[in-house]
């Protein structure tokens, strides 16, 4: 076992379940997962937290549009997010949802603590509001008159609200930045934040009264807590803060809040000020990572894939596997900088680094051990400079990987591992085992060569384990090495194998036909787009128009053809205490007898009309469904209002 080095708490942002996640969210979570696994491997007691940020106007609006409750809406999306993390084997220790009771209760406790401290007051907020980002902005913060975060339009808004005295903490925040140069990285972000504070901090609006999908303000039921106080506190509510403090005492303060650069401001200014208000320690570090870009702009939930590139992680995983996607995201991008996401770059990396470099090394090594030594890893009995070089590079890599991981330089950490892999491939070319095999006298040299390759692969399997643990297991399986108990320190030792029996398996990363893959991905991306062509509809109506309808559930007691019109059906419909006659022109679409007994939705306040000498009081609802009409039925019993 690795020497115990203490605790390590890392978090991702809690994502909005406004729609399914894309490869940008996956990028952040994959980095956090790799770090959590790396820290566990190197002797830390890790707490890795992720979750979902489920309240707010935007989610309420989307749910309303879909005709479901906000809770039902988020439950479904969060189910998909958890499924995605399960498929990707994300090793989080806890997943916090802001709609959980544990969070709600603790956020209210935090609000009360701040209130009792005198840090919260009631005022009136006037500002420019970006609805998708749920942020108020001042005129000077706008970029080209639009939201500086997402680039969309803002609207003037005013409302009674509770405020947090953020301005009170301005000097203390600046001092914290000065005293803790490591607090916010990268450096460029830190300078932005310091100048933001120097411009003067306004007090922060922390409640809303124009919608109700949120945590009620404990002292005023008309208000819900504005999303950032609700969201940021997840990092401590998940640890039981204010109720059951055991985990809080153990893990807080967090070692790293890993966040996208657009929310660095919330994490390095607002969140520390909240913590100062409740007299709790500040995060040790906030790390802002860059964005994945597509066609020049940030990949975002509201922007569908623009070009031929697929950004849905589920599709990429189905085609290339979890480890391939993880590898690409960690290897391709430089931490802290933006990077372009592009399917072609991804496919090339998968072919060059995974199929060629790593895949070939595994398959060549196993094949040669099978061919030249009956599948048993031989002992090493000879030694030369080339062997020495391979050994030094292989056993020296773990420290280099650790040094890069300390800087969150995932790409460089992987590069250090690939230095070993490429050295081993070169070692095969230098040693030419196929020539050694022809000369019985050189069998000891051949054995040494095979042994050293096997040892190197054992080391590689340990080094890649935090990043691609399924691949690590596949390599170990083919090498006949124990799958469990992968110990980081063993990557620093060379002589650990003893006559294990290898067994060739499938290629760990099959070679991809890049042209063909690009073609298929582009078809998938455009298929997604075709499915989203707006419907041809009648003119838009106002909500007030719709609200005039009184919709009721009715049960069809009988249905017959109109005696004087072929197209009309005459219904007797029971709605609660009343039974009515309703006539619909749907005889061509339905058989009368099929409709009897159905519970339908009726516009109950439609003005009565005479149709061919018979009165029709109300209207049964049907919807257009392609060429046909669909009867709107319900499982509810008759007599209930439905709008
Ligand atoms: O901001 N490239 O949630 P969110 C890289 N709920 N990373 C990206 C990305 C991209 N194109 N797009 C998203 C919220 N991300 C709040 C957070 S925390 C207390 C509350 C990643 O669903 C990145 O980490 O908009 C970013 O910060 C996060 O997803 C935003 O996710």
């Amino acid at each position: 076992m690795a020497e115990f080095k203490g605790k390590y708490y890392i978090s991702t942002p809690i994502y909005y379940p406004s729609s399914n996640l894309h490869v940008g969210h996956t990028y952040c979570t994959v980095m956090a997962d790799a770090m959590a696994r790396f820290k566990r491997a190197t002797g830390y007691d890790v707490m890795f937290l992720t979750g979902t940020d489920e309240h707010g106007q935007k989610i309420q609006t989307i749910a309303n549009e879909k005709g479901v409750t906000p809770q039902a809406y988020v439950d479904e999306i969060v189910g998909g997010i958890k499924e995605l993390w399960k498929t990707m084997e994300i090793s989080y220790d806890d997943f916090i949802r802001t709609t959980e009771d544990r969070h709600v209760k603790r956020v209210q406790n935090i609000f009360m603590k701040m209130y009792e401290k005198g840090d919260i007051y009631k005022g009136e907020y006037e500002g420019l509001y970006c609805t998708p980002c749920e942020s108020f902005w001042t005129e000077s913060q706008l970029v080209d008159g639009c939201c500086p975060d997402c680039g969309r339009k803002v609207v003037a808004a005013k409302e009674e609200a509770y405020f947090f005295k953020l301005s009170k903490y301005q000097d203390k925040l600046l001092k914290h930045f000065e005293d803790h140069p490591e607090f916010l990285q990268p450096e460029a972000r830190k300078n932005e934040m310091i100048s933001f504070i120097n411009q003067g901090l306004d007090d922060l609006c922390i409640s809303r009264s124009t919608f109700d999908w949120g945590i009620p303000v404990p002292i005023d039921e008309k208000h819900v807590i504005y999303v950032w106080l609700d969201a940021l506190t997840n990092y401590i509510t998940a640890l039981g803060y204010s109720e059951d403090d055991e985990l809080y005492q153990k893990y807080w303060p967090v070692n790293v809040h890993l966040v996208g650069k657009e929310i660095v401001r919330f994490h390095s200014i607002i969140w520390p000020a909240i913590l100062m208000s409740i007299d709790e320690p500040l995060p040790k570090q906030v790390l802002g990572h860059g964005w994945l870009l597509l066609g020049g702009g940030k990949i975002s939930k509201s922007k569908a894939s623009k070009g031929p590139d697929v950004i849905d992680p589920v599709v990429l995983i189905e085609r290339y596997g979890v480890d391939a996607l993880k590898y690409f995201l960690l290897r391709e991008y430089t931490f802290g900088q933006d990077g372009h996401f592009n399917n072609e770059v991804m496919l090339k990396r998968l072919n060059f680094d995974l199929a060629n470099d790593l895949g070939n090394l595994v398959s060549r090594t196993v094949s040669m051990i099978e061919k030249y030594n009956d599948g048993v890893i031989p002992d090493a009995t000879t030694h030369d400079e080339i062997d020495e070089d391979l050994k030094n590079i292989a056993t020296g890599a773990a420290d280099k990987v650790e040094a890069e991981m300390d800087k969150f330089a995932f790409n460089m950490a992987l590069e250090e591992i690939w230095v070993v892999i490429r050295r081993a491939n070169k070692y095969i070319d230098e040693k030419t085992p196929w020539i050694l095999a022809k000369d019985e006298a050189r069998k000891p040299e051949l054995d040494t060569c095979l042994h050293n390759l096997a040892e190197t692969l054992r080391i590689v399997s340990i080094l890649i384990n935090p990043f691609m643990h399924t691949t690590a297991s596949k390599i170990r399986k083919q090498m006949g090495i124990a799958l469990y108990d992968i110990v980081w320190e063993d990557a620093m030792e060379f002589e650990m194998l003893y006559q294990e029996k290898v067994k060739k398996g499938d290629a760990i990363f099959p070679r991809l036909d890049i042209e063909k893959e690009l073609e298929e991905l582009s078809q998938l991306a455009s298929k997604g787009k075709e499915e989203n062509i707006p419907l041809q509809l009648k003119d838009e109506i106002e909500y007030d128009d719709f609200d005039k309808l009184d919709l009721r559930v009715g049960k069809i007691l009988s249905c017959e053809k109109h005696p004087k019109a072929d197209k009309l059906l005459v219904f007797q419909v029971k709605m609660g205490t009343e039974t009515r006659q309703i006539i619909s022109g749907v005889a061509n679409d339905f058989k009368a007898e099929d409709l009897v007994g159905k519970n339908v939705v009726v516009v109950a306040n439609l003005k009565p009309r005479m149709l061919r000498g018979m009165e029709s009081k109300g209207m049964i609802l049907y919807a257009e469904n392609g060429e046909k009409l669909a009867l709107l039925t319900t499982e509810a019993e008759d007599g209930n209002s439905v709008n």
Side-chain angles (χ1 to χ4, degrees), residues 13-16 21-22 24-25 27-28 53 228 231-232 234-235 259-263 267 289-293 298-301:
I14 48 171
Y15 304 114
Y16 291 128
L21 302 187
H22 54 67
H25 305 100
Y27 170 56
C28 178
D53 182 2
W228 281 102
L232 289 162
N234 90 86
Y235 301 123
V259 298
K261 62 180 186 179
E262 80 291 355
I263 54 174
H267 285 79
H289 66 78
W291 289 340
L292 300 193
L293 309 173
K298 175 180 176 234
I299 303 178
S300 70
K301 291 198 196 92

Side-chain angles (χ1 to χ4, degrees), residues 496-641:
M496 294 200 73
L497 294 174
Y498 181 70
Q499 299 190 347
E500 278 79 1
K501 183 124 180 61
V502 305
K503 189 166 182 343
K504 196 157 169 67
D506 293 336
I508 54 171
F509 290 102
R511 247 193 101 74
L512 302 164
D513 177 339
I514 294 187
E515 291 301 315
K516 182 169 151 274
E517 289 301 324
L518 283 174
E519 179 59 30
E520 288 181 20
L521 286 174
S522 140
Q523 278 171 13
L524 282 172
S526 59
K527 188 161 153 254
K529 273 187 282 178
E530 271 163 29
E531 279 165 6
N532 206 8
I533 295 170
L535 296 169
Q536 297 289 318
L537 300 173
K538 293 179 187 167
D539 286 347
E540 201 169 83
I541 61 164
E542 296 295 333
Y543 175 76
D544 286 345
D545 297 331
F546 172 74
D547 196 41
K548 288 181 192 153
L549 302 183
D550 196 332
L551 299 181
R552 299 292 170 127
V553 175
K555 187 182 185 91
I556 299 179
L557 299 180
S558 70
C559 176
E560 287 166 5
K561 285 203 155 189
H562 192 296
K564 290 188 194 151
D566 288 345
K567 275 196 189 164
L568 301 182
L569 291 178
V570 182
F571 297 86
Q572 298 300 324
V573 181
K574 179 173 177 295
M575 292 182 286
T577 53
E578 188 185 354
T579 301
R580 295 190 181 180
Q581 176 165 290
I582 300 178
I583 301 177
S584 312
V586 295
N588 292 340
D589 297 273
F590 302 99
K591 279 198 204 139
E593 60 270 27
D594 289 348
L595 302 181
V596 177
K598 301 247 189 246
N599 286 321
V600 293
V601 183
V602 175
V603 182
N605 61 337
L606 187 69
K607 198 168 170 183
R609 246 176 105 181
M610 294 301 284
L611 289 167
R612 294 284 182 113
M614 294 179 85
E615 188 186 38
S616 177
K617 265 182 93 178
M619 180 188 281
I620 296 172
L621 288 185
Y622 307 86
E624 302 246 0
N625 185 19
E627 307 275 78
K628 287 187 158 171
L629 278 186
L631 175 68
L632 295 193
T633 58
T634 162
E635 285 170 7
E637 287 301 315
D638 65 279
N640 301 314
S641 171

Side-chain angles (χ1 to χ4, degrees), residues 19 48 68 83-84 101 176 184 276 300 310 355 386 420 470 506 531 559 590 617 627 631:
S19 62
F48 169 19
V68 294
E83 200 53 44
L84 174 64
D101 286 347
H176 189 77
L184 174 60
M276 286 172 181
S300 70
V310 169
I386 301 175
V420 178
T470 306
D506 293 336
E531 279 165 6
C559 176
F590 302 99
K617 265 182 93 178
E627 307 275 78
L631 175 68

Side-chain angles (χ1 to χ4, degrees), residues 60-132:
Q60 186 161 15
T61 308
I62 299 176
N64 284 347
E65 279 165 8
K66 304 233 176 224
V68 294
T69 62
Q71 189 67 56
Y73 181 74
V74 293
D75 283 351
E76 175 155 353
I77 303 274
V78 173
I81 293 174
K82 285 191 167 175
E83 200 53 44
L84 174 64
W85 296 154
K86 193 170 160 206
T87 309
M88 297 198 71
E89 298 180 87
I90 299 301
S91 64
Y92 59 75
D93 296 292
D94 197 357
F95 186 108
I96 180 125
R97 301 184 54 180
T98 55
T99 50
E100 283 173 86
D101 286 347
R102 60 172 174 157
H103 179 73
V104 170
K105 181 80 204 334
R106 293 164 194 171
V107 169
Q108 289 180 325
N109 291 344
I110 292 167
F111 185 101
M112 286 314 294
K113 236 180 148 175
M114 294 165 74
Y115 182 71
E116 279 154 15
K117 174 102 177 258
D119 278 354
I120 289 179
Y121 63 92
K122 198 174 187 176
E124 191 171 61
Y125 197 87
E126 245 178 291
L128 297 161
Y129 188 63
C130 173
T131 310

